[in-house]
Coordinates of all heavy atoms in Angstrom, one line a residue:
Q30 N -9.3 -15.9 -5.5 CA -8.1 -15.4 -4.8 C -8.6 -14.2 -4.0 O -9.1 -13.2 -4.5 CB -7.1 -14.8 -5.8 CG -6.3 -16.0 -6.4 CD -5.1 -15.5 -7.2 OE1 -4.8 -14.3 -7.3 NE2 -4.4 -16.4 -7.8
H31 N -8.4 -14.3 -2.7 CA -9.0 -13.3 -1.7 C -7.9 -12.3 -1.2 O -6.8 -12.7 -0.7 CB -9.4 -14.1 -0.5 CG -10.2 -13.2 0.5 ND1 -10.6 -13.7 1.8 CD2 -10.7 -11.9 0.4 CE1 -11.2 -12.7 2.4 NE2 -11.3 -11.7 1.6
F32 N -8.2 -11.0 -1.5 CA -7.3 -9.9 -1.0 C -8.1 -9.1 -0.1 O -9.2 -8.6 -0.4 CB -6.9 -9.1 -2.2 CG -6.0 -9.9 -3.1 CD1 -6.5 -10.4 -4.4 CD2 -4.6 -10.0 -2.9 CE1 -5.7 -11.1 -5.2 CE2 -3.8 -10.7 -3.8 CZ -4.4 -11.3 -5.0
V33 N -7.5 -8.9 1.1 CA -8.1 -8.0 2.2 C -7.4 -6.6 2.1 O -6.3 -6.5 2.2 CB -7.9 -8.6 3.6 CG1 -8.5 -7.7 4.6 CG2 -8.5 -10.1 3.6
F34 N -8.3 -5.7 1.9 CA -7.8 -4.3 1.8 C -7.7 -3.7 3.1 O -8.7 -3.8 3.9 CB -8.8 -3.4 0.8 CG -8.5 -3.7 -0.6 CD1 -8.7 -5.0 -1.2 CD2 -8.1 -2.7 -1.5 CE1 -8.6 -5.2 -2.5 CE2 -8.0 -2.9 -2.9 CZ -8.2 -4.3 -3.4
R35 N -6.7 -2.9 3.4 CA -6.5 -2.4 4.7 C -7.0 -0.9 4.9 O -7.1 -0.2 3.9 CB -5.0 -2.4 5.1 CG -4.4 -3.8 5.0 CD -2.9 -3.7 5.1 NE -2.2 -5.0 5.0 CZ -0.9 -5.1 4.9 NH1 -0.1 -4.1 4.7 NH2 -0.4 -6.4 4.7
H36 N -7.2 -0.5 6.1 CA -7.5 0.9 6.5 C -6.2 1.7 6.2 O -5.1 1.1 6.4 CB -7.8 1.1 7.9 CG -9.2 0.8 8.2 ND1 -10.3 1.6 8.1 CD2 -9.8 -0.4 8.7 CE1 -11.4 1.1 8.5 NE2 -11.2 -0.1 8.7
L37 N -6.3 2.9 5.7 CA -5.2 3.7 5.5 C -4.8 4.4 6.8 O -5.7 4.9 7.6 CB -5.4 4.8 4.4 CG -4.8 4.3 3.0 CD1 -5.7 3.2 2.4 CD2 -4.7 5.5 2.1
G38 N -3.5 4.5 7.2 CA -3.1 5.2 8.3 C -3.3 6.7 8.1 O -3.3 7.2 7.1
E39 N -3.2 7.4 9.3 CA -3.5 8.9 9.3 C -2.3 9.5 8.5 O -2.5 10.5 7.7 CB -3.5 9.4 10.6 CG -3.8 10.9 10.8 CD -4.0 11.4 12.2 OE1 -4.6 10.6 13.0 OE2 -3.5 12.4 12.5
D40 N -1.1 9.1 8.7 CA 0.0 9.7 8.0 C -0.1 9.5 6.5 O 0.3 10.4 5.7 CB 1.4 9.1 8.5 CG 1.6 9.5 9.9 OD1 1.1 10.5 10.3 OD2 2.4 8.7 10.6
A41 N -0.5 8.3 6.0 CA -0.6 8.1 4.5 C -1.7 8.9 4.0 O -1.5 9.4 2.9 CB -1.0 6.6 4.3
L42 N -2.8 9.1 4.8 CA -3.9 10.0 4.2 C -3.4 11.5 4.2 O -3.7 12.2 3.2 CB -5.1 9.9 5.0 CG -6.0 8.7 4.8 CD1 -7.1 8.7 5.8 CD2 -6.6 8.7 3.4
V43 N -2.6 11.9 5.2 CA -2.2 13.3 5.2 C -1.2 13.5 4.0 O -1.3 14.6 3.3 CB -1.4 13.6 6.5 CG1 -0.6 14.9 6.4 CG2 -2.3 13.6 7.6
Q44 N -0.3 12.5 3.7 CA 0.5 12.7 2.5 C -0.3 12.8 1.2 O 0.0 13.6 0.3 CB 1.5 11.5 2.6 CG 2.5 11.7 1.4 CD 3.5 10.4 1.5 OE1 3.4 9.6 2.3 NE2 4.4 10.4 0.5
H45 N -1.3 11.9 1.1 CA -2.1 11.9 -0.1 C -2.9 13.2 -0.3 O -2.8 13.8 -1.4 CB -3.1 10.6 -0.1 CG -4.0 10.7 -1.3 ND1 -3.5 10.4 -2.5 CD2 -5.3 10.7 -1.4 CE1 -4.5 10.3 -3.4 NE2 -5.6 10.5 -2.7
L46 N -3.5 13.7 0.7 CA -4.2 14.9 0.7 C -3.2 16.1 0.4 O -3.6 17.0 -0.4 CB -5.0 15.1 2.0 CG -6.1 14.2 2.3 CD1 -6.7 14.5 3.7 CD2 -7.2 14.3 1.2
S47 N -2.2 16.2 1.0 CA -1.2 17.2 0.7 C -0.7 17.2 -0.8 O -0.6 18.3 -1.4 CB 0.0 17.0 1.6 OG -0.3 17.1 3.0
Q48 N -0.5 16.1 -1.4 CA -0.2 16.0 -2.8 C -1.4 16.5 -3.6 O -1.1 17.3 -4.6 CB 0.1 14.6 -3.1 CG 1.4 14.0 -2.5 CD 1.7 12.6 -2.9 OE1 0.8 11.9 -3.6 NE2 2.8 12.0 -2.4
V49 N -2.6 16.2 -3.3 CA -3.7 16.7 -4.1 C -3.9 18.2 -4.0 O -4.1 18.9 -5.0 CB -5.0 16.0 -3.6 CG1 -6.2 16.6 -4.3 CG2 -5.0 14.5 -4.0
L50 N -3.6 18.7 -2.7 CA -3.8 20.2 -2.6 C -2.6 20.9 -3.3 O -2.8 22.0 -3.8 CB -3.7 20.6 -1.1 CG -5.0 20.1 -0.3 CD1 -4.7 20.2 1.2 CD2 -6.1 21.1 -0.7
N51 N -1.4 20.3 -3.3 CA -0.4 21.0 -4.0 C -0.6 21.0 -5.6 O -0.3 22.0 -6.3 CB 0.9 20.2 -3.8 CG 1.5 20.4 -2.4 OD1 1.3 21.6 -1.8 ND2 2.1 19.4 -1.8
K52 N -1.2 19.9 -6.0 CA -1.6 19.9 -7.5 C -2.7 20.8 -7.9 O -2.8 21.4 -8.9 CB -2.0 18.4 -7.9 CG -0.8 17.4 -7.8 CD -1.3 16.0 -8.2 CE -0.2 15.0 -8.1 NZ -0.7 13.6 -8.3
E53 N -3.6 21.1 -6.9 CA -4.7 22.0 -7.0 C -4.3 23.5 -6.8 O -5.1 24.4 -6.9 CB -5.9 21.6 -6.1 CG -6.6 20.3 -6.5 CD -7.5 20.5 -7.7 OE1 -8.0 21.6 -7.9 OE2 -7.6 19.5 -8.4
N54 N -3.0 23.7 -6.3 CA -2.5 25.0 -6.0 C -3.3 25.7 -4.9 O -3.6 26.9 -5.0 CB -2.4 25.8 -7.3 CG -1.5 25.3 -8.3 OD1 -0.4 24.8 -8.0 ND2 -1.8 25.5 -9.6
V55 N -3.7 24.9 -3.9 CA -4.4 25.4 -2.8 C -3.5 25.5 -1.5 O -3.0 24.5 -1.1 CB -5.6 24.5 -2.4 CG1 -6.4 25.1 -1.2 CG2 -6.6 24.5 -3.6
P56 N -3.3 26.7 -0.9 CA -2.5 26.8 0.3 C -3.3 26.1 1.5 O -4.6 26.2 1.5 CB -2.3 28.3 0.6 CG -3.5 28.9 -0.2 CD -3.7 28.0 -1.4

């Protein structure tokens, strides 16, 4: 069963990084 993984868009990466920084308490 073949699954093709996609590139992440810039907005999705920005949202993910922002969540990580908030959890790390980094302004």
Side-chain angles (χ1 to χ4, degrees):
Q30 282 192 2
H31 186 190
F32 293 98
V33 180
F34 285 60
R35 301 169 182 167
H36 282 272
L37 264 74
E39 186 176 318
D40 294 335
L42 280 178
V43 168
Q44 182 180 1
H45 179 64
L46 294 175
S47 300
Q48 292 176 357
V49 171
L50 288 170
N51 288 328
K52 294 176 182 178
E53 292 284 331
N54 295 321
V55 176

